[in-house]
């Protein structure tokens, strides 16, 4: 039926050379200080969220990650805006992460080594971590989605700072008009580093 | 007690892709028309190219009545219903033509004659068991002039493949004969779509640029498409997308005989004891109004067309308006859009910009364009690849390529960095037939906030449709491999027929009043001054998007009303 490619082909396609691609987590400790005081979350919550995001999209030899993109700033603002309705559940989820980190590793999440942080996140993703409502896998999927949104959404929302997320994947930026040449396969479009709201013609939505 | 408003000639319920077209020939004929629209106007400031805003339910702006009446779904009567969180259609002046892809096809000749052509070419036994498929009451030649009218009035870009019987391989050689070219040339190709077209030609297939309700050059005061990549599920900031809100509706308004009431929530069509409809009840700003009219055109989406009829009960129609033959909600089906095929290429595609209508089609394996004698199904699918990609979507699209490896962390990040612009998913539209046991009715338990039942979909893809899906997946894989794909993935071939953007039937059109709600002109067999517009009138789907056919039928029904005013509405 499905003629899926083999793992080897996939790794080859991805430019990943087996185990050599597994970055030693300890080599790039996350910065845990928020860039500025959080607007919605508590400082403790912000610290935990930022530490989680930094393991989901790490800063490594492939470039800046969620820290540099200030992905946590995105979710901090969203929790006071578009996502305000899930703020209580979010706080409970963050508290559950720290409680599980303390119970299993002996310290709150942000104080753990990167290796131990990854172990906690793996437990959450594989639904082994206890103390979550409804379960740890659901909360992991939620924070993973937020890390991606915070890294790759329009900088208007507070993340993707300096367009680091878009530069990482080669997205050349929001344009209100695109030329035929900019759609050729042999052309690498120069990133323009503009937000949708830099063009002045669009009403701004909720953060 | 409802406030009774001054009588008008025609009320159109819904100012979307269908109603927004029908208003024009009526208003041009001197008929006074009131359009009742559940949504409001959506304009350039609302069209921000902002992926997050477009994806998290904050868009479109304005009242979204559809989200209060999301249908429930079950594959068959012995299964429990499920219900999604949002509706794929939108409410606004222009309706979903504001945010759709704009693919604007004429049906192929076979689509009008599936039953008789199948019997003639392969024998009656090849019509799948339980299917209620009938020929349309007319063929492509009847609809051709209306297709042409709409292509010019709405503004369609494309390349004809058959003008007066002369085939042109730059267009679709399988389409029926047409009288003239499209009003605009096709949308431009990209490096990627040219690569795919070359691969199709290498397979001896016939690739061509598909027709789009998007301007390829300035048209009637509107700008040409800017290909900026925020077209799918979004509105156009330069009005290049030919929604009815920027094409036929403004033209109808210029006559001063078309008035739109926005944020009007229609609750019932009123019928008298003589069986004729007398007007429409609606709510606006908390007040109930009765709008009397000589004729009513019901032009909401398929689900709401059926629901409105079933909820409009009266002495003459105790089981719902125009339902004395029990046909409202029957012959329901939707395009089998599931069973997608995705590819991973070992090079960047530069698909960051464009629009879903900027692509390349292969029609060789659609409808009856190939010999089915040695096959065990009828119908087929049209294959379509296109250029449009957004950052978060690009990252999420890689999930299926991880083969069980972590979807976070450094190895994942390296994979995302390498492959963000290397995947593609084809859009495969497979023809679907109506069946006896696939239908719409009112859900006995789930209600909208006003207390009215929502639609319940009871439908699943049958063996014929699943065989088509598997067949087309093979062809699509062949096409991607020819173009250099190093990985192919196939999605599961669907079971339940869920809420769809391509929902057909429920108020089918046909000469036999025992099996069809509407006559060949789109008017009720039972309530003579009630017309219905939309894909709910269609008895077959073909292998391509419904909207242009819906619009051609809408123009035809409206023109018939104008030309036969005394007979129908007098």
């Amino acid at each position: 039926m499905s003629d899926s490619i083999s793992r080897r082909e996939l790794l080859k396609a991805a430019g990943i050379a087996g185990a050599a691609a597994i970055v030693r987590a300890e080599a790039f400790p996350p910065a845990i200080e928020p860039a500025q005081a959080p607007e919605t979350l508590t400082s403790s919550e912000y610290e935990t969220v930022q530490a989680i995001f930094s393991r989901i999209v790490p800063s490594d030899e492939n470039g800046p990650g969620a820290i540099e993109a200030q992905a946590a700033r995105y979710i901090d603002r969203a929790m006071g805006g578009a996502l305000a309705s899930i703020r209580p559940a979010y706080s409970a989820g963050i508290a559950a992460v720290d409680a599980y980190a303390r119970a299993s590793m002996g310290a709150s999440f942000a104080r753990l080594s990167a290796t131990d942080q990854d172990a906690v996140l793996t437990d959450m993703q594989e639904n082994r971590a206890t103390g979550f409502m409804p379960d740890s896998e659901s909360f992991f999927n939620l924070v993973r989605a937020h890390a991606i949104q915070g890294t790759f959404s329009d900088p208007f929302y507070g993340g993707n700072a300096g367009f680091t997320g878009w530069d990482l994947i080669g997205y050349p930026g929001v344009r209100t008009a695109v030329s035929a040449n900019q759609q050729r396969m042999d052309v690498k479009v120069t990133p323009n580093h503009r937000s949708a709201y830099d063009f002045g013609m669009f009403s701004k939505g909720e953060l | 007690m409802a406030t009774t408003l001054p009588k008008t000639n025609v009320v159109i319920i819904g100012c979307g892709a269908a109603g927004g077209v029908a208003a024009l020939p009526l208003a041009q004929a001197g008929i006074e028309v009131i359009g009742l629209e559940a949504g409001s106007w959506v304009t350039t400031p609302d069209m921000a190219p902002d992926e997050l805003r477009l994806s998290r339910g904050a868009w479109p702006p304005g009242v979204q009545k559809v989200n209060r009446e999301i249908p429930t779904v079950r594959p068959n009567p012995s299964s429990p219903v499920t219900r999604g969180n949002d509706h794929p259609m939108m409410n606004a002046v222009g309706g979903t033509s504001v945010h759709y892809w704009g693919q604007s096809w004429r049906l192929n000749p076979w689509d009008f004659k599936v039953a008789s052509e199948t019997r003639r070419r392969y024998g009656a036994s090849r019509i799948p068991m339980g299917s209620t498929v009938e020929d349309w009451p007319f063929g492509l030649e009847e609809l051709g002039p209306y297709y042409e009218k709409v292509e010019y009035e709405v503004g369609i870009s494309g390349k004809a493949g058959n003008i007066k019987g002369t085939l042109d391989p730059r267009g679709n050689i399988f389409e029926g004969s047409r009288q003239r070219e499209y009003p605009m040339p096709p949308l431009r190709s990209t490096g990627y779509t040219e690569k795919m077209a070359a691969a199709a030609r290498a397979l001896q297939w016939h690739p061509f640029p598909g027709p789009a309700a998007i301007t390829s050059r300035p048209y009637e005061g509107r700008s040409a498409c800017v290909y900026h990549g925020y077209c799918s599920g979004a509105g156009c900031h330069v009005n290049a997308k030919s929604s009815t809100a920027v094409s036929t509706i403004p033209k109808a308004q210029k006559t001063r005989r078309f008035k739109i009431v926005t944020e009007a929530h229609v609750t019932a069509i009123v019928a008298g004891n003589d069986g004729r409809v007398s007007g429409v009840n609606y709510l606006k700003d908390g007040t109930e109004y009765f709008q009397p009219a000589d004729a009513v055109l019901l032009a909401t989406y398929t689900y709401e067309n059926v629901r409105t009829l079933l909820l409009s009960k009266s002495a003459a129609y105790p089981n719902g308006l125009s339902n004395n033959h029990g046909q409202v909600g029957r012959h329901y089906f939707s395009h089998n859009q599931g069973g997608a095929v995705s590819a991973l290429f070992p090079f960047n595609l530069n698909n960051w910009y464009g629009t879903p209508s900027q692509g390349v089609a292969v029609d060789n394996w659609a409808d009856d364009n190939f010999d089915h004698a040695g096959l065990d199904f009828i119908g087929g699918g049209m294959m379509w690849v296109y250029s449009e990609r957004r950052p978060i979507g690009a990252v999420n699209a890689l999930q299926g390529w991880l083969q069980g490896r972590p979807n976070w962390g450094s190895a994942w990040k390296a994979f995302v960095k390498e492959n963000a612009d290397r995947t593609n998913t084809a859009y495969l539209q497979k023809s679907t037939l109506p069946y006896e046991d696939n239908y719409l009715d009112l859900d006995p338990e789930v209600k909208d906030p006003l207390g009215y039942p929502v639609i319940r979909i009871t439908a699943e893809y049958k063996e014929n449709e699943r065989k088509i899906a598997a067949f087309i997946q093979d062809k699509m894989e062949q096409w991607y491999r020819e173009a250099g794909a190093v990985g192919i993935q196939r999605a599961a071939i669907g079971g339940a027929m869920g809420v769809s953007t391509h929902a057909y039937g429920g108020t089918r059109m046909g000469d036999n009043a025992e099996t069809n709600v509407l006559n060949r002109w789109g008017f009720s067999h039972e309530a003579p001054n009630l017309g219905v517009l939309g894909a709910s009138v269609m008895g077959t789907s073909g292998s391509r998007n419904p909207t242009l056919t819906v619009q051609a039928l809408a123009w035809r029904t409206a023109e018939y009303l104008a030309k036969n005013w005394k007979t129908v509405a007098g």
Side-chain angles (χ1 to χ4, degrees), chain B residues 481-509:
Chain B
R481 296 258 184 224
E482 184 68 28
V486 292
I488 296 291
Q489 291 194 353
R490 301 173 174 214
I493 291 167
M497 196 185 279
V499 179
S500 175
T501 53
H502 293 190
Y504 299 84
T507 70
R508 191 170 70 176
M509 178 175 61

Side-chain angles (χ1 to χ4, degrees), chain B residues 366-411:
Chain B
D367 302 325
D368 203 36
N369 297 343
F370 56 106
D371 186 7
H372 291 64
L375 300 170
D376 55 358
F377 61 87
I378 59 168
M382 190 262 294
M383 301 188 285
W384 177 253
V385 294
Y386 61 92
S387 180
E388 190 186 71
R389 194 196 302 287
R390 299 171 195 167
I392 297 171
V395 172
N396 290 336
L398 290 169
Q399 177 78 22
W401 294 100
L402 292 168
Q403 313 281 299
R405 291 175 301 131
N407 61 1
W408 55 282
S410 279

Side-chain angles (χ1 to χ4, degrees), chain B residues 50-172:
Chain B
D50 175 344
E51 183 179 20
L52 194 63
R53 188 177 186 176
L54 291 168
S55 64
R56 72 178 181 190
W59 200 93
V63 173
Q64 292 304 313
K65 174 173 166 284
V66 284
N67 285 334
R68 303 172 188 163
E69 58 203 31
I70 300 163
T72 60
V73 180
R74 56 179 188 171
N76 52 62
S78 55
S79 300
V81 297
T82 57
R83 193 182 189 204
N85 294 320
D86 52 45
H87 198 294
M89 313 304 276
M90 65 174 274
N91 294 127
V93 176
T96 305
S97 74
V98 171
H99 86 210
Y100 76 151
W101 288 16
Q103 291 184 283
S104 294
W105 303 89
R106 297 183 179 201
L107 288 179
N108 283 345
W110 180 80
D111 300 319
F112 296 85
K113 300 178 170 161
V114 171
S116 62
E117 278 297 292
T118 299
R119 283 194 295 269
R120 182 188 67 79
R121 196 170 173 187
Y122 309 113
S125 66
R126 294 293 299 277
I127 295 176
M129 190 108 69
S131 176
T132 59
V133 65
E134 293 181 358
D135 282 2
W136 287 44
F138 49 78
L140 173 63
E141 61 285 354
E142 163 69 20
L143 206 53
Y146 299 98
Y147 274 131
E148 182 178 315
K149 188 77 182 166
V150 169
E151 284 166 351
Y152 278 77
E153 292 289 353
V154 167
I156 309 295
S157 301
K159 178 66 197 157
N162 181 346
I163 296 179
K164 298 178 181 173
T166 302
L167 300 187
D168 184 339
R170 293 171 297 176
N172 184 9

Side-chain angles (χ1 to χ4, degrees), chain A residues 112-131:
Chain A
L112 299 178
S113 70
T115 304
D116 287 351
Q117 287 176 336
D118 287 356
V120 168
L121 291 174
T122 300
D123 282 354
M124 287 170 60
Q125 184 174 30
E126 295 177 0
N127 222 3
R128 289 194 300 263
T130 52

Side-chain angles (χ1 to χ4, degrees), chain B residues 19-31 33 41 93 148-156 183-184 215 219-222 239 242-260 551 555:
Chain B
V21 162
L24 183 54
L26 290 169
Q28 286 176 337
I31 292 167
V33 182
W41 288 91
V93 176
E148 182 178 315
K149 188 77 182 166
V150 169
E151 284 166 351
Y152 278 77
E153 292 289 353
V154 167
I156 309 295
M184 287 170 279
T215 55
Y219 191 73
E220 296 189 337
R222 292 188 282 127
N239 292 340
S242 300
S243 79
T244 56
V246 299
S247 57
T248 50
I249 286 173
K251 291 180 200 176
Q253 287 179 309
K254 274 201 187 120
T255 67
R256 309 185 72 81
R257 286 184 289 275
F258 180 46
K259 306 251 182 331
I260 296 175
Q551 294 179 319
W555 190 289

